[in-house]
Every structure is written in C-alpha cells, then in structure tokens.
Amino acid sequence: MDLNGALRLAAVRIVLSGRELIAPLDLVVASGEQVTVMGPSGCGKSTLLAFVSGTLDPVFNASGRVLIGETDVTALPPERRRIGIQFQDDLLFPHLSVGENLAFALMSSVRGKEERRALVQQALIEAELDGFVDRDPVTLSGGQRARVALMRTLLSEPKVLLLDEPFNKLDAQLRNEFRRFVFEHAAARGLPTLLVTHDAADAAAAGGRVIRLGNG
Amino acid sequence: MTAQHRSDWLRIAPAFTAGVFLLPIGAGLIGTVLPAFGYLPAIGGNELSLAPWRVLVAHPGFATSVMLTLGTGVLTSLLAVILSVGFCAYAYGRPWARRIGAWLAPLLSTPHSALAIGFAFLILPSGWIVRAISPWLTGWTLPPDVSTVGHHTGLALVFGLLLKEVPYLILMIVSALNQVPAREHLTIARALGYSRAEAWVKAILPQIYPQIRLPIYAVIAFSLSVVDVGLILGPSNPPTLSVLAVRWFFDADIQMYFPAAAAACLQLLLVIATIVLWFSLERLLVIVGRRWIAAGGRDGLLSRLTLPTAVVTFTLFVVSLLAIVGMALWSVAAQWRYPDALPQAWTWANWMRRADSLPALSWTTLLIGMLATAIAVVLVLACLENEGRGERAGTGALWILYLPLLFPQIAFLFGAQVLLVRLELDGTLLAVVWAHLVFVLPYLFLSLADPWRAFDPRYARTAASLGASRFRVLFRVKLPILLRPLLIACAVAFAVSVGQYLATLFAGNGRVATLTTEAVTLAGGADRRVIGAYALVQSLFPFLVYLLAAALPALLYANRRGLTRWT
C-alpha cells in the first residue's frame, strides 16, 4: 500500500479507569481512502478521533502512535498536526461572520488581504454560497452551515480528515447531499478520511472499509 | 498523552493564586493572635500574657457588646436565609421573576455603606419616612424623640444589613438552581399535589443547599463582624465588637492595640462558634426535615408563609431604591427642612463645592478597583484555563476561595497591617490593591467559573484543528464568545473593590482615601448634602461599570444573534 500521505495508527490503545476502551489498533488509511469506524454508543469511537486529533481528555490513558505519511505527529499539539475534524454540530464561531469563519482557517500560510478574500470567495462558490460572506452564521440553514463548516476545515489545508458523526443532525434529504459533498471534496484533495458513525447508510455511502469497535 | 501539551507555567496558577490570598490571611491571623496575647515587640509587648484579655473583659459594656454582636449577627443571618428562601419559593417559575438576576445585580453593585447611609436617612426620626407622613398624618411638627439609627438593640443595623444580604443570597440561590433540574422537579412535585412554595422548599431546597452553604456562612461571618455598616447604623455605646476593636486600634494610646487585637480574636472565635452552631443546626434540620417531608403534608403553614416573606423582601428592594434616591435628592438640595417631603430649593452648589475633592477620590477608587480587577482576572483566567486541561478545582479549592469571606475582616487585616508596616509597604497604593485583591478574587472566580466551564470544548478543538495556537484560541475564540460573562464578572469584582472599607483603612494605614472611606467618615456628620453627594458617587461608580459590562457586548455583537446563549 502506498504510504505517501497516508494516516497510520500504530498500536493505539486507550484505557479509561482500568477499562480498556480500545484494544491495540493498527490501521492504515491511504490517501483519498475513506474508512468508517462503527460501533455502539460508548464504545470509544469519538475517543479514538480525539486521540488522533490530539485533543484527548487527560482522564484517558492512551498509548500508540499516529503517523501521517512518514511524520510521527503523536507528540505534536493539535494545532500543528494538520488534522481537520468535523463534528455533528457545525460549530461555526458565533461571533464571526461566515466569511470571517472561513478566513480564520487561513492564518498560517496565507498573507495579504486580497489573497485571503479570494480564497474565501472561492470556497463560498464551491459551497454554492456565493454572497454569504458577511452573513451571521445563525441566519443560515442547517445544511448551509454544515457546508460552510466543511469548507472552513478544508481551507486549513489538512492532511487528514476526521468526521465525528457529522451527518447526524441533518434530515434524510440533506444527509444524502451533504454526504456526497464531503466525500467528493475529500477524495478530490486526496485526504485520508476517518468517519465515525452508527448509521450503516453512511458507511455504505463512504464505500470504504468498515472497522467495528466494541462488541459490534 | 495530552499532558505533554499542558503549559508548565500555567500549572502553577492555582497554587500561586491560593498563595496570593492565603498568605495575607495566614500572616494576618498570626499578626492578630500574637498581639492579642501581648506580643508585639515594635510597641513594647515582649512577652505573652493575658493582660489584653483582662482589659477587654473589664471594659464597661463588654458583655453588652458581645451580646449585641451575637444578637444582630445571628438575627440577620436567620432573617437573610428565611427571606431569600421564602422569596425564591414564592417567585420561582413566575414570569416576572425570570430576569431577577438582572434586576438585583445593580443593587448588589452598590457599596453597602452607601446603602446604609441612604437607609439611615430614611429611618431617622427626622428622616424621609417621617417627613413624608408628617405632620398631616402624625401631627409631629418636630421630629419625635425616639432612637432609630443607633438604637441600642441594633435593629437598625439588622435591617441595614439585610438590604444587601438578601439579594446576595437570592442570587446565589438562582445560580445554584441552574445546576439542578429545578423546573422538572417542581413540575413533578406540583403534579403530586404540593403547592408551588411547598414543592420548592421540600423538593428543591434540599438539593441546592450544599451550594448555598458557603454563601450562607459568608453572610454569617459578615453579619457578625461588619464594621462600616456598624459604624453608620449600629449603636455607638456600647458598639458591636468589631467596631470597638477598630476604635481601639486607631486610639491615640498605642497600648490600646493589644486589647484591640484581643477583641478581634474574640470576634473570630464568635464567628467560628456561630458557624459551627449553624452547621449543627443543619444536621438537626436534616433529620427533622426528612420526617417532615416524608409525612406528606400538603397544605401546611409553609404555603401561607411565603407570600409574606416575599412581600417583606420586596419592601427591602423598595427601601434600597429609596435610600439611593434620597441621597440623590440631598446632593442637589439647597435646603431641606423637616417636615418637608421634598427639598424646598435645589442647587448644583453641593456638587461644585465637591469639585476639588471628588475627582481625586474617584480617581483613587477607580485606579485601585481597576488594578485589583485586572490582576484578579489574569489569575482567575490562568486557573480556569489550567483546569480545562485536567483536574477541576474541587470543593477543597472552593473552601480556600471562600476563606477571605469566612474570616472576619478585622481578624486578619490587623495582622496584615503589621506585616505591611514591617515591609514598609503600608500606606502605599500597592498594599491597598493587594488587600482588595484578597476579596475581589473569590467573587471574580465564582462569577466567572460556571460560564467558563460551560463553554463547549469543541469550539477549542475545532479551532486547534484549524491550526490556531492556544493563545489564538483563547483570545480569538474563547474570550470573544465569553465576553459578556467576563465583563459582568469584572463589574462584580470592581464593585467589591469600591465597597471595601476596612481593607483600605488598614492597608492604607489611614493614608489612602477612597470614596467609601470618606463616605463612612462623613456619615457621622450633620450636613446631609455633603454626605448625599459622596454616597451617590460611591453608588454610581460600580453601577456605571455594571451598565457598561452589560451593554458593551450587546453593542459589539449587535449583528451576532448566535451569541445570545451567553448574553
């Protein structure tokens, strides 16, 4: 398997108060591949994502390594890992406009107001939200906010995409559309994607391998 | 694994903060206990002895002072609890009570001494209430020859203390109510046939009591040992114990320092004893209360009691308002003779005359308040941010936080001053800021802790995944979203600083004058126009800061409706 840019989990084990939540897990997600993690509630799916993104609560005891391509990111703080994460709530910052939310993701590499504005504009067009740049996020519909949230993550040019049940809050119709939106963009950018869900339809739509945690 | 990312300098924040105010308290206590037993080499006390205690006990009126202190303190505490509980039991769930927090907060920002000064004017024999009803109702063409303010029973003091303590406890109860599913439990209890008031007292009060226990103890400690309100409303001879101690402390005869320290020690013992007694009563009430609740009585005395207590509490609010209005009127009165209900002539002259002294005083008050608040904010934010990475501060930390509020101020400010004199820091602005910080910090922490901890952690996680450093997350995401709770907490802290009397007096060694120290000193005087001006400015300051704190986020985020969850 081509490991170039792949997400690799090596012997990841997570323990909570003596109870093993996640048995030693080895996983490789290749560039552009989408892997689904499924399991019942409380089996540790979200905890696994937290570990990968570097925001695991200290009450957990975790061991193992996370690698992106050849780089070991296990010791890096979350802001340096270049691992994007989407939650089931859009979590657009309420104090910023839609455009400012998108621009927030641009900090590190992009300089110059013009270039930033252009990138934000491009992202909005891709999300079919042209003209929304100064809008208050709370005035957008659920589906629109979800699209903005994904574009925000993609603007930070992540190397890996983590999805923590991101389609949960959307109704059936929106769900299909948004799912397609996410997977298309992830595939187009060649991002290894790790999707956590309890909905089998999501796994089917992703079309990749399915890992089961817990008893499932 | 994320432990590696915990900033090391942030970890010392809780310990450092605790040190900032445990140190003065500890040093202060030692500095008070030692002289109480005769040891203070600086003024000739070289060996331990019981002489100060003998002087204290032999003082004429000593027994009365102690009785008075205990009487007013215990009565005030009991009434404060009964009134606040009764009011909440009556008001909870009713539509007009929904924004009660917003209405009470400005009242709480008013310094207690300002309220006391205004209240004194209301109830004096020649005061506003009598003026309003004389002589047409009472026939009094001259003020009646009775004593209200300074009455030997201390009832004026009790009432004056309740003016602020009842709203304080109500606010503590309201915030405790957010931690339990109060509305649901109330609904269930009422569906079972209990009246609203009974349901509240039997189902909800037991659940929230652990959270209001420390505020109640703080009220007990304050009621027993308050000095500024005692000076304004309490009897003069013999006064309460802490007033006596302060008087002796500043006595021309420096040897009076020792009995003063002894009185302060005794004050501490009284507070401890009362809190222990209250705690035992709690235990007793639990046993009795359980049986009472289990007995299932539904239409008892309780439902009939809450309306009267609510009415009394409302009266307190109205009285507070009148107190401030009265002071405002005096400040612009050219002449206000008895028995006129309103001044005959109005003038700005009172304010013009104060134009020399007020600005300087106001500036000092403002500076101390801002410095104390700023330092407290940095420390509290450091502690709260450190929390977010792991262990949350437990009950032990809460007790430490409450310590400055549980010890009578006089018991450790004495000794703190000795320490400051030693370090040659007494009388400096720095010393006063530090003394204020000791009291400002607990209130700031308590104000900010809940909103801060309730912040959705996924915002920070999302921001981090977008590449934002911890600093950027704090300043660009967390602080802007939590701006309103932060500003309100700062307004609370600032109000606490403005209202400080003893702390300024001792740490400043009488050399630093703030609006409150001046107002309390003037309160004994005869020209109410002067007092009115000072008391009004004293009240306006924190109130304006509070308005700013409430309004600023609304202005900044006028077009951001998503923030209304925190506003």
Side-chain angles (χ1 to χ4, degrees):
Chain A
M1 188 182 289
D2 176 18
L3 283 178
N4 193 13
L7 168 69
R8 188 146 61 94
L9 303 181
V12 171
R13 182 170 182 265
I14 303 181
V15 173
L16 174 66
S17 326
R19 184 169 74 94
E20 189 181 71
L21 211 54
I22 298 189
L25 174 69
D26 287 292
L27 179 62
V28 178
V29 184
S31 290
E33 186 188 359
Q34 281 144 8
V35 171
T36 310
V37 176
M38 292 192 71
S41 309
C43 71
K45 313 191 291 289
S46 297
T47 316
L48 178 64
L49 287 191
F51 174 72
V52 175
S53 68
T55 54
L56 188 66
D57 194 302
V59 309
F60 294 96
N61 263 317
S63 59
R65 294 188 303 149
V66 177
L67 299 106
I68 303 181
E70 295 303 318
T71 323
D72 188 335
V73 299
T74 324
L76 289 180
E79 57 267 19
R80 298 234 292 275
R81 293 192 184 197
R82 305 285 291 278
I83 295 180
I85 185 160
Q86 285 286 116
F87 296 102
Q88 60 178 348
D89 294 304
D90 52 84
L91 292 172
L92 294 179
F93 302 130
H95 61 295
L96 302 175
S97 68
V98 167
E100 286 165 349
N101 263 283
L102 292 172
F104 188 89
L106 285 178
M107 206 214 113
S108 43
S109 45
V110 182
R111 273 159 277 280
K113 266 182 117 167
E114 279 312 311
E115 204 187 334
R116 296 170 76 93
R117 204 175 306 162
L119 283 169
V120 166
Q121 181 64 8
Q122 195 179 328
L124 282 173
I125 292 174
E126 261 190 74
E128 294 168 30
L129 289 171
D130 191 12
F132 277 61
V133 70
D134 285 322
R135 290 277 291 269
D136 181 2
V138 85
T139 62
L140 273 59
S141 73
Q144 291 170 327
R145 288 205 303 272
R147 294 208 294 277
V148 175
L150 182 71
M151 294 320 296
R152 181 178 62 175
T153 304
L154 294 177
L155 274 177
S156 67
E157 296 188 26
K159 300 209 180 105
V160 171
L161 188 59
L162 302 179
L163 304 168
D164 193 345
E165 308 201 47
F167 315 119
N168 258 10
K169 289 247 172 102
L170 305 169
D171 62 57
Q173 163 79 348
L174 266 175
R175 209 179 174 107
N176 283 328
E177 285 173 15
F178 187 57
R179 235 178 2 216
R180 215 177 320 129
F181 186 80
V182 173
F183 293 142
E184 271 170 17
H185 278 91
R189 284 169 168 79
L191 295 173
T193 307
L194 200 56
L195 166 70
V196 154
T197 183
H198 62 266
D199 185 347
D202 290 340
R209 280 180 289 153
V210 177
I211 313 282
R212 293 193 184 274
L213 290 184
N215 309 326
Chain B
M1 103 139 262
T2 38
Q4 291 170 291
H5 308 306
R6 195 181 306 189
S7 223
D8 283 310
W9 61 268
L10 212 55
R11 274 171 117 180
I12 66 166
F16 181 75
T17 308
V20 159
F21 59 76
L22 285 185
L23 185 64
I25 298 180
L29 280 179
I30 297 176
T32 307
V33 170
L34 285 180
F37 288 95
Y39 185 77
L40 189 62
I43 55 173
N46 288 310
E47 43 188 45
L48 296 173
S49 85
L50 285 176
W53 293 91
R54 271 182 241 125
V55 173
L56 172 65
V57 175
H59 180 77
F62 165 73
T64 318
S65 276
V66 174
M67 286 292 112
L68 184 67
T69 307
L70 280 174
T72 53
V74 171
L75 184 62
T76 308
S77 311
L78 276 174
L79 284 178
V81 173
I82 292 173
L83 287 175
S84 53
V85 167
F87 179 80
C88 286
Y90 178 77
Y92 186 71
R94 292 184 203 262
W96 50 262
R98 204 152 293 150
R99 306 288 321 271
I100 195 80
W103 294 117
L104 287 181
L107 175 57
L108 279 181
S109 69
T110 313
H112 213 150
S113 41
L115 276 178
I117 291 173
F119 176 67
F121 173 58
L122 267 184
I123 63 167
L124 274 174
S126 63
W128 207 4
I129 292 182
V130 174
R131 289 183 194 208
I133 60 175
S134 297
W136 54 275
L137 191 65
T138 58
W140 289 329
T141 45
L142 286 174
D145 187 20
V146 294
S147 154
T148 53
V149 171
H151 192 261
H152 68 92
T153 56
L155 281 177
L157 178 57
V158 170
F159 207 106
L161 286 174
L162 286 177
L163 286 181
K164 219 174 153 184
E165 287 178 2
V166 172
Y168 169 68
L169 280 183
I170 290 178
L171 274 187
M172 293 291 109
I173 291 176
V174 165
S175 80
L177 283 172
N178 290 328
Q179 323 274 8
V180 300
R183 199 168 303 137
E184 289 80 10
H185 283 167
L186 197 69
T187 311
I188 292 176
R190 292 184 78 182
L192 289 170
Y194 289 90
S195 70
R196 180 198 295 267
E198 290 207 346
W200 202 90
V201 172
K202 291 187 179 179
I204 298 181
L205 182 60
Q207 290 188 58
I208 60 167
Y209 189 81
Q211 271 141 293
I212 59 173
R213 170 180 285 130
L214 278 177
I216 290 180
Y217 289 174
V219 163
I220 295 176
F222 183 74
S223 312
L224 280 169
S225 62
V226 67
V227 171
D228 47 2
V229 183
L231 279 171
I232 298 170
L233 295 171
S236 210
N237 262 315
T240 54
L241 202 57
S242 36
V243 171
L244 188 65
V246 172
R247 231 182 250 168
W248 280 350
F249 182 83
F250 284 107
D251 196 295
D253 176 7
I254 202 160
Q255 293 302 313
M256 289 309 280
Y257 196 109
F258 296 104
C265 266
L266 181 60
Q267 178 73 73
L268 176 63
L269 289 173
L270 287 180
V271 168
I272 294 178
T274 310
I275 291 183
V276 168
L277 187 67
W278 187 281
F279 182 75
S280 328
L281 268 174
E282 281 178 19
R283 299 285 116 209
L284 189 63
L285 213 61
V286 166
I287 300 171
V288 170
R290 274 234 167 87
R291 250 177 254 154
W292 175 59
I293 293 178
R298 275 161 172 74
D299 194 20
L301 190 58
L302 207 61
S303 5
R304 278 175 270 262
L305 274 183
T306 43
L307 181 57
T309 52
V311 169
V312 174
T313 311
F314 263 122
T315 316
L316 285 177
F317 298 157
V318 171
V319 167
S320 300
L321 189 63
L322 287 177
I324 304 293
V325 172
M327 287 297 99
L329 287 179
W330 265 113
S331 68
V332 288
Q335 221 183 31
W336 194 352
R337 285 227 186 85
Y338 180 90
D340 300 320
L342 284 176
Q344 293 123 321
W346 310 85
T347 175
W348 284 112
N350 301 326
W351 288 100
M352 303 308 235
R353 258 178 253 135
R354 305 278 93 68
D356 332 318
S357 50
L358 269 182
L361 276 179
S362 307
W363 172 242
T364 311
T365 311
L366 188 68
L367 189 62
I368 296 174
M370 291 200 305
L371 282 175
T373 305
I375 299 174
V377 164
V378 170
L379 287 175
V380 168
L381 283 185
C383 287
L384 285 174
E385 279 295 285
N386 181 59
E387 247 182 39
R389 289 140 216 241
E391 322 88 37
R392 164 174 304 193
T395 1
L398 203 59
W399 273 87
I400 293 182
L401 210 59
Y402 258 94
L403 271 180
L405 310 177
L406 294 177
F407 279 115
Q409 285 196 336
I410 195 141
F412 62 92
L413 282 176
F414 247 69
Q417 208 235 23
V418 173
L419 177 68
L420 287 170
V421 170
R422 265 281 183 82
L423 297 171
E424 294 187 3
L425 282 175
D426 66 302
T428 60
L429 205 68
L430 177 68
V432 177
V433 169
W434 192 19
H436 281 216
L437 184 63
V438 169
F439 301 101
V440 158
L441 214 142
Y443 283 104
L444 187 71
F445 191 95
L446 292 168
S447 242
L448 197 52
D450 286 334
W452 202 264
R453 288 170 183 159
F455 185 70
D456 191 335
R458 295 176 304 172
Y459 280 118
R461 286 178 65 185
T462 304
S465 79
L466 294 172
S469 70
R470 254 196 303 281
F471 255 144
R472 196 146 185 268
V473 172
L474 180 64
F475 286 104
R476 295 306 198 94
V477 177
K478 205 162 183 181
L479 278 178
I481 294 181
L482 289 175
L483 188 65
R484 193 165 195 273
L486 179 66
L487 285 183
I488 299 237
C490 285
V492 168
F494 183 76
V496 169
S497 168
V498 171
Q500 287 300 313
Y501 175 68
L502 268 191
T504 317
L505 204 63
F506 276 97
N509 208 359
R511 274 176 268 163
V512 176
T514 61
L515 285 169
T516 299
T517 54
E518 280 307 293
V520 175
T521 311
L522 285 173
D527 192 350
R528 274 196 215 100
R529 293 169 298 177
V530 177
I531 305 172
Y534 276 98
L536 193 64
V537 180
Q538 207 193 347
S539 318
L540 274 182
F541 245 38
F543 180 66
L544 286 174
V545 171
Y546 180 77
L547 271 185
L548 198 69
L552 204 62
L555 286 172
L556 284 178
Y557 295 133
N559 56 345
R560 295 279 177 262
R561 287 178 2 227
L563 280 171
T564 50
R565 204 182 322 161
W566 287 278
T567 55

